[in-house]
Amino acid sequence: MAWVVGANVLMGLLLIALGLVTLRTGWILPTARRHVTRPRLHGLGTLLTGTSLVLQSLFYFRILPSVSWEIRFFGGNAFLFAGLLLIAAGQLMAHRRGPHPDHTDPSGASARSRAV
């Protein structure tokens, strides 16, 4: 059973690293690029999911102080579920739309005056 939990730790650390890279640079794995519309939500969800996996494994190996099984079970699953919801939201939400064409940009020139 320890090798399964050890694999869980490795998967969690990989997800944490991918989440941090996505939050920092916006880079997403090539297999997921086509589906992700909000990289920051996807990165945060990946980070939460990885944190959940690592924390549950640290409780199993008794590295962290032991708490009741209910807190470990429901807390770990809440983190995991929240991360999965954020990953799904990052894929299902529509792309952000740019500013309305009649609005001015920070330089003060409107879109219509540049077109003329």
Side-chain angles (χ1 to χ4, degrees):
M1 182 68 168
W3 69 272
V4 173
V5 180
N8 199 27
V9 170
L10 291 177
M11 182 64 74
L13 291 174
L14 178 66
L15 286 173
I16 289 173
L18 287 173
L20 289 175
V21 166
T22 301
L23 285 174
R24 184 86 171 136
T25 64
W27 184 82
I28 297 174
L29 286 174
T31 56
R33 280 187 197 144
R34 191 177 74 189
H35 305 289
V36 175
T37 57
R38 303 275 178 113
R40 294 188 65 76
L41 280 178
H42 187 271
L44 187 60
T46 306
L47 190 63
L48 275 175
T49 303
T51 303
S52 168
L53 295 177
V54 170
L55 283 178
Q56 288 180 9
S57 301
L58 292 178
F59 281 130
Y60 175 81
F61 288 125
R62 300 191 195 283
I63 294 173
L64 294 177
S66 183
V67 294
S68 70
W69 72 269
E70 293 93 355
I71 293 175
R72 288 186 301 184
F73 178 75
F74 291 117
N77 286 339
F79 263 74
L80 186 66
F81 189 61
L84 292 175
L85 281 176
L86 285 174
I87 290 172
Q91 293 180 0
L92 297 175
M93 292 179 74
H95 286 284
R96 289 187 180 172
R97 296 179 186 207
H100 192 272
D102 290 337
H103 292 194
T104 58
D105 62 358
S107 66
S110 68
R112 289 185 179 171
S113 65
R114 285 182 294 202
V116 175

